[in-house]
Amino acid sequence: MPKAGRNIYKRKDGRWEGRYAKGRDSNGKILYRSVYGKTCTEVKKRLAESILTNSGSALPAILPDKRNLTFTDVANQWLSINSLRVKYSTYANYTAMLNLHILPLLGEYIMQGLTAAEINRFTEEKLNNGRADRKSGLSAKTVRDMLSIIKAVIDFASMENIINKDFPITYPKQQQHAIRVLSRQEQTALEAVLTAGLDIHKLGILLCLYTGIRIGEVCALRWKDISPDFDSLSINRTLQRVKNLGEGEQRTKILIDTPKSQRSIREIPIPKFLSAHLKHFARDSGTFVLATGDIDFIEPRTMQNHFARSIKAANVNNANYHSLRHTFATRCIEAGVDVKSLSEMLGHSSVTFTLRCYVHSSFEQKREGMNKLEKYSGK
């Protein structure tokens, strides 16, 4: 029976079947119900409707004795309800964080007895010994993401009247790391490496440097997403490798999905010099831009490896692939591109976010600004 993920299967009779947790019997065994449809999309819709319909009463029916509910019981029900509300990649991330980090430490606690003290001990453990080898801790950002999931489970338990209390969660302070932007000299050196013996991998790096698109977006780009005149491209998909939640299959899989937000679906102009390079590599409209004769598409990890080799050849240090996006934003500001247009090209939700996170004044800009003060010197 082929599986489409999230407990959705194609049956031998050609129909699609989806299963969801409906309740528990007197012995505590989970009772499942099924919905059917002619297509996978139809079953997904019916599953979502069934889960939403039962979300207000499912927990009391599934777990009648609320006094004995553990954090695991409530977290699994929260996951079930959210499985069709969020993207597969988000759902897979929730599942991984719960199974690998949260449930091993908090799963056996009775939900009604859980306190802020246990949550604080969890936070301290993950910050100090959170990695798999327990020799070092996880970053504050990663722990904050875990605490956000814990808070969502607690809020869900409160909404379902499993607990009648609320307590604050203390989030660890997250240090603001300096965002790496290539200097103008570094960018020139990198471009010299990329344009010498230009191939499809180097073309992908150039595309990100001069359009600001993310690595998953360039990997998902098809030739049909580029205008006939090669003067603009449309972003409407992203490609990433995610954990595979299916049973008996590979641990990870490639997922091609819509971008992270509606604002990320956008159209971006292409500089003229880059259009000429694209025309040279153009293929059938349905194929991926980043493809070779041997493979249909290039995944992000492969592009990261090619980028690492390119910056090494250019003698550029301490830069990662996302530095291309930061560099694009900074160069646009230096070139006089208005922030509103830049924000839309980057796919951000607001101009404020663009200014705060992606636009960084270079030392060259500071020097040019200071030189302008000479007119006030009286000389």
Side-chain angles (χ1 to χ4, degrees):
M1 187 183 297
K3 185 172 183 179
R6 303 182 191 173
N7 292 323
I8 300 177
Y9 303 84
K10 188 172 184 180
R11 297 162 50 94
K12 292 182 179 180
D13 61 8
R15 292 187 301 163
W16 287 84
E17 175 184 355
R19 302 176 68 215
Y20 67 98
K22 175 69 174 178
R24 289 182 185 264
D25 61 19
S26 57
N27 295 320
K29 183 179 179 180
I30 296 178
L31 300 175
Y32 290 96
R33 293 290 183 271
S34 295
V35 295
Y36 303 90
K38 294 181 179 179
T39 65
C40 181
T41 301
E42 182 181 354
V43 169
K44 284 184 178 180
K45 181 179 179 180
R46 290 183 178 180
L47 263 183
E49 292 172 349
S50 298
I51 291 174
L52 289 174
T53 300
N54 288 276
S55 63
S57 58
L59 268 178
I62 292 175
L63 298 158
D65 190 354
K66 297 181 181 180
R67 293 171 299 177
N68 295 326
L69 290 181
T70 65
F71 187 92
T72 295
D73 293 325
V74 180
N76 285 338
Q77 183 64 10
W78 174 80
L79 261 183
S80 177
I81 287 175
N82 279 280
S83 63
L84 292 174
R85 292 179 176 175
V86 298
K87 287 178 173 290
Y88 181 93
S89 55
T90 302
Y91 178 71
N93 185 51
Y94 288 164
T95 302
M97 282 197 172
L98 279 166
N99 292 338
L100 295 177
H101 295 280
I102 299 173
L103 296 185
L105 293 182
L106 299 178
E108 298 303 314
Y109 279 99
I110 300 299
M111 199 71 204
Q112 291 188 357
L114 188 67
T115 66
E118 279 86 27
I119 306 298
N120 290 337
R121 280 195 288 271
F122 169 88
T123 301
E124 184 177 355
E125 168 66 19
K126 290 301 172 183
L127 288 173
N128 295 329
N129 306 293
R131 295 190 180 277
D133 58 9
R134 295 184 58 80
K135 293 181 179 180
S136 59
L138 298 171
S139 68
K141 179 185 182 307
T142 300
V143 177
R144 287 173 67 93
D145 291 342
M146 294 178 188
L147 290 173
S148 295
I149 294 176
I150 294 171
K151 182 65 165 62
V153 173
I154 292 173
D155 290 344
F156 176 78
S158 177
M159 180 183 69
E160 294 290 337
N161 296 317
I162 296 168
I163 58 176
N164 56 8
K165 61 181 179 179
D166 190 18
F167 48 83
I169 290 182
T170 302
Y171 291 85
K173 186 176 180 180
Q174 184 177 339
Q175 294 183 346
Q176 294 295 327
H177 297 287
I179 295 179
R180 180 71 162 93
V181 175
L182 301 182
S183 69
R184 297 175 190 175
Q185 292 77 12
E186 288 174 329
Q187 182 173 343
T188 298
L190 175 60
E191 289 186 46
V193 170
L194 296 176
T195 54
L198 186 66
D199 59 20
I200 199 65
H201 304 94
K202 293 179 178 179
L203 178 64
I205 296 172
L206 272 177
L207 264 175
C208 293
L209 180 60
Y210 276 94
T211 63
I213 59 179
R214 303 176 179 92
I215 188 170
E217 294 170 342
V218 71
C219 289
L221 198 65
R222 296 178 187 266
W223 286 107
K224 64 182 180 182
D225 300 321
I226 297 177
S227 66
D229 294 329
F230 297 89
D231 59 356
S232 67
L233 59 84
S234 299
I235 297 298
N236 47 58
R237 289 178 304 276
T238 187
L239 184 152
Q240 58 185 315
R241 183 169 287 278
V242 299
K243 290 188 178 296
N244 187 4
L245 302 180
E247 298 177 1
E249 302 176 11
Q250 295 181 341
R251 294 177 60 185
T252 62
K253 67 177 182 179
I254 290 294
L255 176 68
I256 300 176
D257 203 351
T258 54
K260 59 189 300 184
S261 68
Q262 188 63 32
R263 290 292 184 93
S264 293
I265 299 175
R266 61 202 190 277
E267 186 175 8
I268 305 171
I270 299 174
K272 290 182 179 180
F273 85 94
L274 197 51
S275 298
H277 291 313
L278 285 169
K279 290 177 182 178
H280 178 73
F281 286 91
R283 297 175 62 190
D284 294 338
S285 63
T287 60
F288 288 89
V289 172
L290 301 190
T292 66
D294 300 326
I295 56 176
D296 294 332
F297 56 81
I298 298 172
E299 63 176 285
R301 178 61 61 88
T302 302
M303 287 300 296
Q304 288 171 341
N305 292 336
H306 280 278
F307 175 75
R309 287 194 286 270
S310 296
I311 63 169
K312 183 178 181 180
N315 292 318
V316 174
N317 298 318
N318 303 321
N320 57 29
Y321 202 98
H322 209 64
S323 301
L324 298 172
R325 184 168 164 86
H326 303 320
T327 302
F328 167 77
T330 302
R331 294 292 103 83
C332 283
I333 291 297
E334 292 174 356
V337 177
D338 68 277
V339 181
K340 175 63 175 174
S341 296
L342 174 60
S343 183
E344 292 178 356
M345 288 190 290
L346 291 172
H348 287 163
S349 59
S350 68
V351 171
T352 301
F353 183 85
T354 304
L355 284 170
R356 185 177 72 247
C357 298
Y358 284 93
V359 181
H360 313 278
S361 177
S362 67
F363 189 79
E364 290 90 342
Q365 280 181 289
K366 295 182 176 72
R367 184 182 299 279
E368 290 171 1
M370 295 299 286
N371 288 338
K372 292 178 181 179
L373 295 179
E374 290 185 3
K375 66 181 181 179
Y376 300 109
S377 66
K379 296 182 179 180

